[in-house]
Amino acid sequence: MRRPRPSVAPDIAELLTLVRQGRLFAVESWLREGRRVRDPANTHRQFSPLLAALKTGFHSLVELLLRPGGWSQEELDEAVGGAMSAARLDLVDLLLAQGAKVAGIDFADVCRTVDLAVMERYLRAGVDPARDNAFARALHDIKARPLLGFYRQFCEEYPVLHAQASLALSEAVKEGKPRWVALLRWAGADPFLEVPDRLYDANWDFSCRLGFCAADHACWAQTPELLKALKLRPNPAEAQQLLRSAALCASPEIMRAVVRLLPAGSINAGERNACEAVDPLLDDFGRYAAGQRDERMGRVAACLEILLDAGARWSPEPRRLGSIRRRLVSQPSRHLVRLIRLLLYTPGAADRAQVLEVCRTPVIRQKLADGDRALAKEMEEMRLSGAGA
């Protein structure tokens, strides 16, 4: 059932007309006569003389309507938000003095003044720079250097600014803005902080680890310039994260760039001392239809070769060998041969016994024989001699 449209009381309708026409003296006469300025039974925003006065931008008119008081907290807070959106700081101050709360102010609107003194003033007054990701939105929309200076000056005192800058960094990477990426990094934004996927995701908890970071998006963009702009210096855990992201896009160019960024000795990690990027690459085998397979598998194998040449090790948990085998069995012989040769003959790349175990089924052994009889024969000799044990 459709709700009836709200209607305005005749006296309030008359006052609204006077306000919208900016007739200050007529409104002043209205107040002298003791006539009401709001209808408590109808607080719909389109019937608010106060909000109507704000739209005119007439300071004296707003001040006059505030004088009798009686405005609800909701009306005052909405009014102060509207005044800040219009960059009317004089009206903001007027409304705050009458009881409006700073919670009604969007810090992104404060930032649009690009006035550091004003920004500091409202930050210290209690305006939340993280509400609705306000500071991140300002950095994203305005892209002004003074905002970076503000961040550098106050990020220690207000740590919430750090997460906001890191979210803006992720957005800049996704938009392919290397210059702004470099400036945000210079200011101190974290390329490895996991952030929401959307700038307007207001309910994101920055303490959780369920999102993606700027470094992930830089890998997936397959643009080395963005990786360079991020000036990454990963620790060992971040190095593994970078490698996994590079593996997902299967770009040899990105994989080379990522390998060059790794700190010494960080290509392998964990109890099994293995590279976490190898498994995602192996999982690619068998995932694509024949029409996509050759091009994709060529890139996957090239990435795998780059990793193994850099010292990466493949050491999966034994329980995963069956699923890996099922991936490989669907591959054409030429791709399978290239993969097994990489694992088997790159020094230190894999435990030979695990490679032989993956290839133990008759179907895979036949495929290897079809693609490379010498390899198949050598693997059979290894198996019979127990060389892989």
Side-chain angles (χ1 to χ4, degrees), residues 39-52:
D39 179 3
N42 186 354
T43 58
H44 196 279
R45 66 187 315 275
Q46 73 182 88
F47 302 138
S48 170
L50 178 60
L51 296 178

Side-chain angles (χ1 to χ4, degrees), residues 3-13 16 36 39 41-44 46-48:
R3 293 182 179 179
R5 294 185 63 182
S7 59
V8 60
D11 61 331
I12 298 299
L16 282 168
R36 64 178 185 169
D39 179 3
N42 186 354
T43 58
H44 196 279
Q46 73 182 88
F47 302 138
S48 170

Side-chain angles (χ1 to χ4, degrees), residues 189-201:
D190 186 351
F192 289 105
L193 181 67
E194 294 183 11
V195 298
D197 193 47
R198 294 174 298 174
L199 190 62
Y200 290 86
D201 191 343

Side-chain angles (χ1 to χ4, degrees), residues 256-267:
R256 287 190 197 94
V258 165
V259 166
R260 285 195 293 267
L261 292 170
L262 302 181
S266 65
I267 198 166

Side-chain angles (χ1 to χ4, degrees), residues 341-352:
R341 279 195 168 278
L342 284 172
L343 292 174
L344 207 55
Y345 297 124
T346 304
D351 180 343
R352 183 170 288 182

